[in-house]
């Protein structure tokens, strides 16, 4: 490969890629594609070959390139070529590459000038190239020949547009010097896809074939039909040179002599020719790399910042140092204890925003789930009245009782107290499980030391289970204490006289005034189907009503539903819905809301549903229960037929209600205190005072601090990545300071490319517009010591006598574009 400018870029790109490879990432430079566009036999393939520095493309007269050639240059240790259609076959002779291109073209298009839009994909591997994509496109033609279709012009245009419309494609618009420039199809296509001229470079070929006495100096100086990036003239090898095996280096030397010796071009010889075109394109690649650097730097800096703290901890760390292990063990257990305490007491360093956990979950168990379990026992009214009637009958025996027996009251109360064992033990189980979950969450921070994590979790969990047994014994003891003495002299107990007096008035619904019990967002499932689905409202539950509002500001009330005769019904979750649903209905078959007999309410989780059910129970809205009464129902009805028995049952019922409310109140208050004292506080104290001692006594404490293989790899990876990131940032800084970015030249008036431009012919073969556009401003490159260009006129320069009309002297000539590290002499 003979592109020296590319050879200068290769070390730069290789350094970047090596730096990114060290951290396991891709550099993502995404270098631009370079597409060569022009008319038939304009010299496109020669320009492309000169840029690559190898002879490998078919040459000849007429239309030679009849399929797009997508050439991928890939940096590699060895030099060879591969075709996508010849997988596994390597070409080391580039003459064979040319013959394979010709054969593959003929295979698809035939041998009679046919064309195809199916590209030939060629990969060239070499240590002297960048990872670039070059595209050789068929020449633009208007008249079909051979097997070409009638719409050959439009097919080729569409083919070219597929490639050059990409924003990441540099366009080399190739036009022969002996052709009317204003009719250049290459420039018109480039204008369509790049109207601002950001990525279009004009290339003038065949300068050595212009008629003697004429030149295209005004074009090359960008004074005539200007482009933003200007024009570059090149002299390619002729067909005779190619057939004579004239190599590229000799051709480049001949091209240089041409520009140095030609009177019209020698003042701009340093800015013409294939080497300058190579330098200009390589400068564009450098610009692209420099434009990519800020994003790369930002990404690397963010990664470096995220690793700084962890890398600082690992620096100078000796994982086998016994003193380090002892110190680390004490610190880890101390942090574990603090983390556990914060999760229980609140204000943890890692707040869970997804679900309740730790102390918040235990609080919910104490004040929602446990009261819910207690209240659920109260709603089976028929069963309770049946038990009371049996007790009264059995106490009277064969005699007919005249008075209500107090033994029936005591028997029923004790039976109800015994039923409290289930909810109380369930409350302990839920709290214990949440404590174990909290311990597991806290030990996640010990995952770098698997033995320590396992042993810590085992010791703390074992202690929690021991406290669970003691707590359950204490809870059962508290219930036994309640059973041991029924205190009918309690100040809140209504007494026998009041129970008889309130027989007809006392309701089993708790009296709580109109206090607010709960607020929150709930979805109503079944009232918005016509409007397109369920809708969420802000619900407010009080002791007397259930209201819902448009939002939580509670300004626009949608409805208020009294709680009288309401019950709750479970609804099975639909397989198509992620919501958990329950329903409210009226036991007297009345509409609950407008024309709806029931109201379906949905929550995101089952815990939310249970919580709302518990709140409704507190307000006296009980769950629906369907049981087959059988013989029991008829017996109850037979008892109710006896007015005296009915009054006695109602009296006992009121006494039981009054006394059990005292028991419930006491149990609801005592259970959280018992669990807090015997379990939660005790476990916190155990972790702070005894856990470390038990860890030391469990075995070799040094083995507890053995790192997991994953942690050792993590430490090495963090340190390696941290160092590689710093090196990559240094490389980016070095590249930024050692390369020069060439700004895009200022815009020029390229309206001559519009379809409505009017031109008049010049005897020299290129078009002269009726009105000259403003000259292009000089490129803002690095500072140059430039000599002013000589001004030619008709008197002292015979090379311009063939111009019938020259550009007025008032229009300054455009200075040639400057190249970094190059001076004009």
């Amino acid at each position: 490969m003979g592109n020296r400018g590319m050879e200068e870029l290769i070390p730069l790109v290789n350094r970047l890629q090596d730096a990114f490879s060290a951290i396991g990432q891709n550099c993502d430079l995404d270098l631009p594609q370079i597409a060569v566009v022009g008319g038939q036999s304009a010299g496109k393939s020669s320009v492309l070959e000169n840029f690559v520095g190898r002879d490998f493309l078919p040459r000849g007269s007429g239309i030679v390139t009849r399929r797009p050639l997508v050439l991928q240059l890939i940096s590699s240790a060895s030099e060879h070529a591969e075709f996508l259609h010849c997988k596994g076959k390597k070409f080391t002779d580039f003459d064979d590459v040319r013959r394979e291109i010709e054969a593959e073209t003929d295979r698809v298009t035939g041998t009679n000038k046919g064309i195809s839009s199916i590209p030939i994909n060629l990969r060239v591997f070499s240590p002297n190239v960048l990872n670039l994509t070059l595209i050789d496109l068929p020449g633009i033609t208007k008249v079909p020949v051979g097997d070409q279709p009638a719409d050959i012009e439009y097919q080729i245009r569409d083919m070219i547009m597929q490639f050059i419309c990409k924003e990441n494609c540099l366009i080399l618009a190739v036009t022969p010097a002996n052709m009317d420039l204003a009719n250049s199809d290459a420039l018109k296509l480039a204008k369509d896809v790049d109207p601002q001229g950001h990525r279009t470079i004009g290339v003038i070929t065949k300068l050595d074939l212009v008629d003697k006495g004429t030149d295209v100096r005004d074009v090359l100086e960008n004074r005539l039909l200007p482009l933003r990036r200007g024009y570059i003239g090149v002299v390619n090898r002729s067909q005779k040179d190619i057939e004579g095996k004239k190599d590229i280096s000799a051709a480049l030397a001949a091209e240089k002599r041409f520009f140095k010796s030609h009177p019209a071009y020698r003042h701009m010889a340093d800015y013409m020719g294939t080497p300058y075109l190579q330098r200009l394109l390589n400068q564009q690649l450098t610009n692209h790399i420099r434009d990519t650097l800020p994003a790369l730097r930002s990404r690397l800096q963010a990664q470096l910042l995220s690793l700084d703290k962890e890398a600082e901890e690992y620096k100078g760390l000796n994982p086998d140092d016994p003193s380090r292990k002892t110190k680390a063990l004490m610190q880890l257990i101390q942090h574990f204890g603090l983390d556990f305490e914060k999760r229980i007491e609140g204000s943890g360093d890692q707040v869970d925003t997804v679900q309740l956990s730790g102390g918040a979950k235990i609080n919910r168990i104490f004040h929602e789930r446990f009261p819910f379990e207690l209240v659920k026992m109260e709603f089976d009214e028929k069963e309770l009245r049946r038990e009371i009637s049996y007790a009264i009958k059995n106490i009277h025996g064969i005699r007919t009782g005249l008075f209500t027996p107090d033994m029936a009251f005591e028997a029923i109360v004790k039976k109800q107290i015994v039923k409290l064992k289930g909810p109380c033990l369930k409350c302990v189980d839920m709290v214990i499980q949440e404590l174990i979950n909290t311990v597991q969450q806290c030990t996640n921070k010990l995952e770098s030391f698997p033995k320590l994590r396992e042993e810590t979790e085992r010791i703390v969990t074992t202690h929690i289970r021991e406290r669970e047994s003691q707590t359950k014994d204490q809870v059962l003891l508290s219930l036994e204490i309640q059973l041991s003495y029924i205190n009918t002299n309690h100040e809140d107990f209504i007494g026998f006289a009041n129970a008889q007096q309130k027989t007809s008035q006392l309701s089993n619904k708790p009296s709580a005034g109109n206090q607010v019990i709960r607020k929150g967002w709930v979805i109503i499932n079944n009232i918005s189907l016509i409007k397109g689905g369920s809708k969420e409202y802000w619900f407010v539950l009080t002791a007397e009503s259930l209201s819902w509002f448009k939002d939580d500001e509670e300004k626009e009330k949608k409805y208020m539903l009294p709680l009288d005769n309401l019950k709750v019904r479970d609804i099975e979750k639909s397989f198509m819905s992620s919501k958990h649903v329950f329903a409210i209905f009226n036991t007297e078959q009345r509409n609950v809301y407008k024309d709806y007999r029931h109201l379906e309410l949905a929550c995101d989780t089952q815990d939310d549903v249970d919580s709302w059910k518990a709140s409704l129970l507190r307000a006296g809205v009980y769950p629906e229960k369907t049981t087959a009464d059988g013989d029991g129902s008829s017996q109850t009805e037979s008892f109710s037929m006896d007015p005296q028995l009915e009054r006695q049952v109602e009296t006992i019922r009121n006494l039981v209600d009054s006394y059990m409310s005292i028991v419930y109140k006491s149990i609801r208050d005592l259970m959280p205190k018992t669990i807090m004292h015997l379990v939660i506080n005790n476990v916190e104290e155990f972790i702070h005072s005894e856990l470390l001692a038990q860890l030391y006594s469990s075995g070799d404490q040094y083995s507890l601090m053995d790192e997991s293989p994953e942690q050792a790899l993590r430490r090495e990876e963090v340190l390696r990545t941290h160092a590689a990131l710093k090196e990559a940032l240094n490389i980016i800084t070095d590249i930024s300071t050692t390369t020069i970015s060439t700004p895009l030249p200022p815009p020029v008036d390229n309206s001559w490319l519009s379809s409505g431009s009017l031109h008049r012919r010049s005897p020299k073969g290129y078009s002269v517009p009726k009105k000259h556009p403003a000259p292009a401003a000089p490129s803002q490159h690095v500072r140059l010591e430039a000599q002013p260009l000589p001004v030619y006129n008709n008197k002292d320069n015979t090379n311009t006598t063939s111009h019938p009309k020259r550009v007025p002297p008032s229009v300054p000539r455009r200075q040639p574009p400057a190249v970094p590290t190059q001076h004009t002499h």
Side-chain angles (χ1 to χ4, degrees):
M1 298 292 173
N3 190 333
R4 294 192 58 187
M6 187 182 291
E7 292 172 0
E8 295 173 1
L9 273 179
I10 289 171
L12 178 148
V13 175
N14 285 345
R15 288 182 65 195
L16 266 181
Q17 291 175 339
D18 290 344
F20 276 84
S21 297
I23 57 177
Q25 299 181 13
N26 293 324
C27 190
D28 294 333
L29 285 178
D30 193 21
L31 294 176
Q33 296 178 345
I34 299 173
V36 185
V37 181
Q40 184 175 301
S41 299
K44 304 181 301 301
S45 297
S46 296
V47 170
L48 196 59
E49 274 187 339
N50 289 342
F51 180 73
V52 176
R54 279 282 192 180
D55 287 325
F56 66 96
L57 294 176
R59 308 298 289 271
S61 59
I63 182 168
V64 178
T65 305
R66 294 180 285 132
R67 291 177 60 185
L69 175 68
V70 179
L71 173 61
Q72 292 178 278
L73 302 181
I74 301 173
S75 180
S76 174
S78 60
E79 186 171 80
H80 65 276
E82 293 179 3
F83 286 95
L84 187 61
H85 62 273
C86 299
K87 293 182 178 179
K89 184 177 180 181
K90 296 183 179 180
F91 295 79
T92 55
D93 187 346
F94 280 82
D95 289 334
D96 293 338
V97 172
R98 181 188 303 107
R99 286 190 285 270
E100 180 60 31
I101 294 174
E102 293 172 346
E104 177 63 15
T105 300
D106 291 342
R107 186 183 67 81
V108 175
T109 64
T111 59
N112 195 17
K113 307 297 183 182
I115 66 166
S116 172
S117 61
I118 302 174
I120 298 174
N121 290 275
L122 172 63
R123 293 181 176 180
V124 174
F125 298 82
S126 172
N128 303 315
V129 299
L130 289 174
N131 293 334
L132 280 177
T133 299
L134 310 175
I135 304 168
D136 188 21
L137 295 166
I140 304 168
T141 185
K142 299 181 183 296
V143 180
V145 297
D147 293 336
Q148 294 176 355
D151 61 343
I152 179 70
E153 178 183 0
Y154 301 104
Q155 286 193 22
I156 292 178
R157 286 178 181 271
D158 291 343
M159 192 187 308
I160 294 172
M161 294 293 281
Q162 291 177 10
F163 292 93
I164 67 174
C165 65
K166 299 176 182 177
E167 289 296 327
N168 198 32
C169 181
L170 289 174
I171 305 170
L172 298 186
V174 180
T175 305
N178 55 1
M179 174 188 173
D180 186 351
L181 187 65
N183 292 330
S184 171
D185 291 316
L187 291 175
K188 290 181 179 179
L189 286 176
K191 173 69 174 179
D192 290 339
V193 297
D194 182 32
Q196 302 301 320
H198 291 164
R199 50 192 179 92
T200 302
I201 300 174
V203 179
I204 305 299
T205 60
K206 302 186 179 182
L207 290 167
D208 53 334
L209 301 183
V210 176
D211 293 340
K212 291 185 178 180
T214 63
D215 59 65
V216 290
R217 173 178 166 181
D218 283 355
V219 174
L220 296 178
E221 289 179 347
N222 208 31
R223 287 160 40 81
L224 185 68
L225 312 183
L227 288 176
R228 188 165 188 172
R229 289 188 179 272
Y231 297 86
I232 298 173
V234 297
V235 177
N236 297 324
R237 292 175 296 170
S238 65
Q239 189 63 30
K240 181 179 178 180
D241 294 334
I242 295 171
E243 293 172 354
K245 302 298 182 181
K246 184 177 183 179
D247 63 17
I248 291 181
S249 60
L252 293 178
E255 180 187 52
K256 183 176 181 180
R257 287 194 301 271
F258 172 82
F259 283 111
K260 288 288 188 181
S261 61
H262 197 288
Y265 309 135
R266 59 191 174 194
H267 69 289
M268 62 180 82
D270 290 336
Y271 308 105
M272 294 292 125
T274 300
Y276 177 72
L277 176 60
Q278 290 177 348
R279 291 198 300 272
L280 184 63
L281 290 176
N282 284 316
Q283 182 60 54
Q284 298 310 310
L285 299 180
T286 303
N287 287 353
H288 179 84
I289 293 172
R290 287 177 57 85
D291 291 343
T292 310
L293 293 183
L296 294 178
R297 180 187 288 111
S298 177
R299 192 175 80 191
L300 294 180
Q301 287 174 338
Q303 295 177 7
L304 184 65
L305 185 63
S306 67
L307 291 178
D308 273 342
K309 184 177 180 181
E310 192 173 0
E312 190 65 29
E313 294 175 358
Y314 292 147
K315 285 180 181 178
L317 177 65
N318 181 7
D320 298 325
D321 183 7
S323 62
R324 186 202 68 84
K325 286 186 175 183
T326 302
K327 181 179 179 181
L329 175 61
M330 297 179 65
Q331 290 177 343
L332 288 173
I333 297 305
Q334 183 181 12
H335 291 160
F336 170 77
L338 292 175
D339 190 24
F340 181 83
E341 183 178 351
K342 287 181 179 180
R343 287 179 181 270
I344 297 298
E345 303 296 337
S347 69
D349 55 347
Q350 293 182 350
V351 178
D352 190 346
T353 59
V354 178
Q355 60 182 1
L356 291 180
S357 61
K361 186 77 171 285
I362 294 173
N363 178 274
R364 187 170 187 173
I365 293 171
F366 284 159
H367 302 295
E368 289 188 8
R369 295 298 302 276
F370 179 56
F372 173 66
E373 297 296 330
L374 289 178
V375 178
K376 276 201 305 186
M377 297 167 39
E378 301 179 6
F379 63 80
D380 195 351
E381 186 69 22
K382 286 185 179 181
E383 182 66 26
L384 180 59
R385 289 181 177 275
R386 185 184 296 118
E387 291 176 358
I388 294 174
S389 63
Y390 282 145
I392 294 174
K393 282 288 189 180
N394 288 330
I395 289 173
H396 287 311
I398 197 171
R399 299 179 301 277
T400 301
L402 300 177
F403 303 101
T404 303
D406 55 354
M407 291 179 61
F409 159 74
E410 189 168 326
I412 296 299
V413 165
K414 288 183 177 181
K415 188 172 183 179
Q416 294 297 313
I417 292 175
V418 170
K419 289 181 180 180
L420 295 178
K421 289 182 179 180
C424 291
L425 295 180
K426 184 176 180 180
C427 178
V428 175
D429 289 336
M430 288 189 291
V431 172
I432 293 297
Q433 186 58 51
E434 186 57 35
L435 282 177
I436 293 175
N437 292 342
T438 303
V439 170
Q440 292 173 348
Q441 291 173 0
C442 294
T443 55
N444 286 339
K445 295 184 178 181
L446 306 178
E447 61 184 356
S448 301
F449 307 96
K451 292 183 180 179
L452 176 63
R453 176 181 180 177
E454 181 181 352
E455 192 65 16
T456 300
E457 193 170 321
R458 182 191 67 80
I459 292 174
V460 178
T461 302
T462 301
H463 182 75
I464 291 175
R465 289 301 182 187
E466 292 174 355
R467 303 308 300 177
E468 175 188 13
S469 177
Q470 297 181 26
T471 304
K472 287 184 176 180
D473 291 342
Q474 181 63 37
V475 168
L476 294 177
L477 178 61
S478 299
L479 294 178
E480 291 293 337
I481 292 173
Q482 292 286 350
L483 289 171
S484 65
Y485 180 64
I486 306 301
N487 182 17
T488 55
N489 289 325
H490 194 282
E491 57 184 3
D492 295 332
F493 186 61
I494 63 174
F496 184 78
N498 291 334
Q500 286 183 320
Q501 184 178 0
K502 295 183 179 180
T503 292
S504 58
Q505 293 88 7
L506 189 62
S507 170
N508 59 0
K509 177 181 174 180
S511 177
N514 198 28
Q515 65 179 3
V516 175
I517 298 175
R518 185 184 180 91
K519 294 183 179 182
W521 290 100
V522 180
I523 297 172
I524 299 182
N525 253 13
N526 62 327
I527 68 170
S528 301
L529 295 177
I530 299 178
K531 300 178 181 179
S534 57
K535 190 171 182 180
E536 192 174 35
Y537 293 96
W538 179 259
F539 274 71
V540 176
L541 173 64
T542 68
E544 296 180 354
S545 65
L546 178 64
S547 305
W548 55 92
F549 300 81
K550 182 179 179 180
D551 52 41
D552 54 3
E553 294 182 0
E554 300 181 14
K555 292 182 179 179
E556 185 177 342
K557 181 183 288 188
K558 292 295 183 180
Y559 195 73
M560 185 179 73
L561 177 65
L563 300 183
D564 297 330
N565 301 317
L566 292 185
K567 280 197 174 184
V568 175
R569 174 187 299 155
D570 290 327
I571 295 181
E572 291 186 5
K573 181 183 176 183
S574 170
F575 72 96
M576 296 183 63
S577 173
S578 61
K579 305 295 182 183
H580 299 262
V581 186
F582 66 99
I584 296 175
F585 67 97
N586 191 293
T587 56
E588 297 182 354
Q589 301 300 316
R590 295 180 180 177
N591 291 341
V592 175
Y593 173 68
K594 295 185 178 179
D595 297 331
Y596 297 93
R597 287 294 179 91
H598 70 280
L599 198 64
E600 290 186 9
L601 305 177
C603 301
D604 291 330
T605 65
Q606 186 61 44
D607 281 347
D608 290 336
V609 171
D610 292 341
S611 179
W612 273 102
K613 285 182 180 179
S615 299
L616 288 167
L617 278 171
R618 289 177 57 196
V621 180
Y622 295 95
E624 175 188 33
K625 185 168 184 178
T626 56
T627 58
D629 293 333
D631 294 339
S633 177
S634 61
Q635 292 174 5
T636 301
E637 291 175 3
S638 66
F639 288 131
S640 64
M641 295 299 292
D642 183 356
Q644 182 178 353
L645 180 61
E646 181 73 20
R647 287 193 298 271
Q648 291 176 351
V649 167
E650 190 65 33
T651 300
I652 297 296
R653 177 69 179 91
N654 292 337
L655 291 172
V656 170
D657 254 357
S658 175
Y659 193 82
M660 287 307 299
S661 65
I662 297 172
V663 175
Y664 290 149
K665 185 176 180 180
S666 174
I667 293 297
R668 283 199 300 266
D669 180 64
L670 189 61
M671 278 296 296
K673 294 177 179 178
T674 303
I675 294 174
M676 282 295 298
H677 175 69
L678 295 179
V679 183
I680 298 176
N681 292 342
N682 183 275
V683 171
E684 289 181 1
E685 181 64 25
F686 172 81
I687 291 174
H688 285 300
S689 61
E690 299 184 33
L691 175 59
L692 188 60
Q694 292 205 19
L695 284 171
Y696 275 116
S697 63
S698 64
D700 183 11
Q701 65 268 24
Y702 296 124
S703 65
L704 293 175
M705 296 303 295
D706 289 342
E707 284 184 326
S708 65
E710 295 81 4
Q711 175 62 18
L713 289 176
R714 170 67 181 172
R715 186 181 69 256
E716 295 174 2
E717 178 70 14
V718 166
L719 292 175
R720 184 187 63 80
T721 304
H722 190 267
L725 286 169
K726 295 179 72 173
E727 175 63 19
L729 285 171
N730 291 335
I731 291 174
I732 288 178
T733 302
D734 188 34
I735 293 173
S736 298
T737 56
T738 57
T739 58
I740 300 174
S741 179
T742 304
L744 185 68
V748 297
D749 182 5
N750 56 5
S751 60
W752 59 273
L753 282 172
S754 62
S755 59
S757 297
L758 299 177
H759 302 84
R760 56 185 177 86
R761 300 285 299 175
S762 167
K764 296 177 64 176
Y766 54 83
S767 297
V768 182
K770 289 186 176 181
K771 185 176 182 179
H772 278 283
S779 299
Q780 299 176 7
H781 299 262
V782 293
R783 184 175 61 86
L784 299 177
E785 297 175 3
Q787 299 291 336
L789 294 177
V791 179
Y792 297 90
N793 51 54
N794 291 336
K795 292 181 179 181
D796 56 3
N797 193 322
T798 57
N799 289 327
T800 60
T801 54
S802 59
H803 288 275
K805 185 176 182 179
R806 300 298 296 171
V807 179
S810 60
V811 179
R813 293 188 183 275
R814 176 179 179 267
Q815 294 287 348
V819 178
T821 70
Q822 185 92 11
H823 297 285
T824 301
H825 298 285

